[in-house]
Amino acid sequence: MTRPATPPVVVVGAGVAGLSVALSAAPREVTLLDPGEAGSSRLAQGGIAAALAAGDSVRAHVADTLQAGAFHNDEALAWSVVGAAPDAVAWLQIMGVAFDRDDRGLQLGREGGHGAHRIVHAGGDRTGERVVAALQGRAVRAGHVEWRTGVQVDGLLLRGRNVAGVQVRGADGRVETIEAGAVVLATGGLGALFQRSTNAGTTSGSGLALAMAAGARTRDLEFVQFHPTAFDGVGDGDGTRLPLITEALRGAGAKLIDHRSRSLMRGHHPLGDLAPRDVVSRRVWDARRDGPVWVDATHLRSGWEQAFPTVVETCRAQGVDPHTQPIPITAAAHFHMGGIATDPLGRTSLPNLYAVGEVACNGLHGANRLASNSLLEAVVCGRWLGAHLRLAPSRTSRDAFRTRELGDSLDAGALAAVRRRLWDAAGPVRTRAALSAAVREMKAMAASGWQARVAHAVLHAALLRRASLGAHWRADA
């Protein structure tokens, strides 16, 4: 047992949310635990939403956030986070993020659900990669941060109800316990539990599973966002991460078309191709029953590829020339609006346990996240939490430690079965019959691995919500 004189804050996860917490907690000592695997932050292509343009406003950004979230949002929190967006962009620039600019200042893109151009981006569609690199560079040089990579957290330590540390397993299999004044879960979402997903394979809900094992409350687990434009055909739906075709490409003028080259969204929503993601994903889901669906960028003016290098590289790697050919797309699991229930400062129902970023559910996103509000949340709420932990006293107890472990992981065959079941029963369109059958199957598998327990919780929540709301669409409602 590592017993420093003053236990550090232990942050689990080194994406944008975890790094923002670690940097903002200075000078309090932080132990940053990084599994060393690519997470969702690096894969984020769009950018960060902020009302910076002339004629735009915080009020308009909040209105779009609530509309996209089916008004299931915490409106007061939406005002607070969106209001902090300009300051978050400024802080990231201080941290070293070089956002794309033109002769008028910061370039602002537009994405689905937004009524204005307000997406700040870096490296074109490489925003997540650039933001993570800048924050990691700062954290590596920060004297108050101890960075440990290649370790997996497989348990939480409790004294009474107080979370008091973590159990970690190194690459060599060695188990170690680390005492903590506070534990922050910044582990990302659970998209990789679906057969079709834009998430890295490791983004499968481990942080949520840890919190559930310790008895923390959860919230809104049924709300899973599906991105309408993942590249179709990679891995043939076997759990391989599907490359994202960023929404910003449609913001630049690309069109969604069906297998007969007809407009996919005409007549289905006032915003057309830039309708909220839940609307477009369901339309893509329906249209693909009749044939392939495409994003067509062939009519865009030359030079557009400079703003979307990742899209061009993805297409060419799959034998598609996006200048002359439409891009085949499918809906895919992308972001979890639900998660560990928290307040705006990331506090969970367990003392000393915090959660931030996609693993947390504070109510900001409601039933369907507005595009590019995810990195915004990670930075704003991460900074709030870091500042809180800088001064917050640790709650202590004389009780002996007890460990709440993650437990066994499913073998490859069982995990593939979970992914298929979640996709079929809890994809963009859901029914009571499919959900009921899937709940029974996951309950029977729950003892075999923690992924089945997470899947069961999501499916059970979806079964209980009988009416459609946002990304949760019941065809039999």
Side-chain angles (χ1 to χ4, degrees), residues 96-189:
V97 180
F99 290 112
D100 298 333
R101 307 180 70 89
D102 55 28
D103 55 5
R104 293 173 294 180
L106 292 174
Q107 288 183 352
L108 299 174
R110 185 180 174 193
E111 294 180 346
H114 290 274
H117 286 71
R118 63 168 70 100
I119 312 303
V120 182
H121 48 84
D125 56 9
R126 290 175 171 159
T127 305
E129 177 185 323
R130 299 290 177 87
V131 171
V132 170
L135 296 183
Q136 284 188 347
R138 286 278 182 164
V140 167
R141 297 190 299 272
H144 71 288
V145 176
E146 177 193 8
W147 188 304
R148 297 187 58 180
T149 189
V151 294
Q152 299 286 344
V153 176
D154 62 8
L156 294 176
L157 307 180
L158 283 81
R159 277 188 170 134
R161 291 189 68 251
N162 293 341
V163 173
V166 296
Q167 177 177 288
V168 302
R169 189 177 302 272
D172 58 359
R174 188 169 64 92
V175 176
E176 175 188 1
T177 55
I178 302 173
E179 190 172 353
V183 173
V184 178
L185 297 176
T187 52

Side-chain angles (χ1 to χ4, degrees), residues 355-395:
V356 67
E358 190 176 353
V359 72
C361 180
N362 55 25
L364 170 63
H365 304 302
N368 178 55
R369 175 175 64 85
L370 181 66
S372 288
N373 271 359
S374 53
L375 290 183
L376 173 63
E377 177 196 20
V379 174
V380 171
C381 293
R383 293 182 69 202
W384 287 348
L385 176 52
H388 170 73
L389 292 173
R390 185 191 311 154
L391 302 174
S394 299
R395 302 185 189 185

Side-chain angles (χ1 to χ4, degrees), residues 185-247:
L185 297 176
T187 52
L190 48 67
L193 284 183
F194 286 77
Q195 188 178 33
R196 291 180 179 270
S197 173
T198 64
N199 292 182
T202 53
T203 309
S204 51
S206 62
L208 177 59
L210 280 168
M212 288 167 55
R217 287 199 298 267
T218 60
R219 175 181 175 185
D220 289 349
L221 296 185
E222 66 271 32
F223 295 119
V224 178
Q225 182 172 80
F226 299 90
H227 199 291
T229 56
F231 192 98
D232 191 21
V234 178
D236 197 25
D238 62 358
T240 301
R241 183 183 73 83
L242 300 181
L244 192 65
I245 304 300
T246 177
E247 207 160 44

Side-chain angles (χ1 to χ4, degrees), residues 312-328:
V312 174
E313 290 173 8
T314 294
C315 292
R316 287 177 174 166
Q318 302 301 322
V320 173
D321 180 357
H323 298 92
T324 61
Q325 298 171 278
I327 305 165

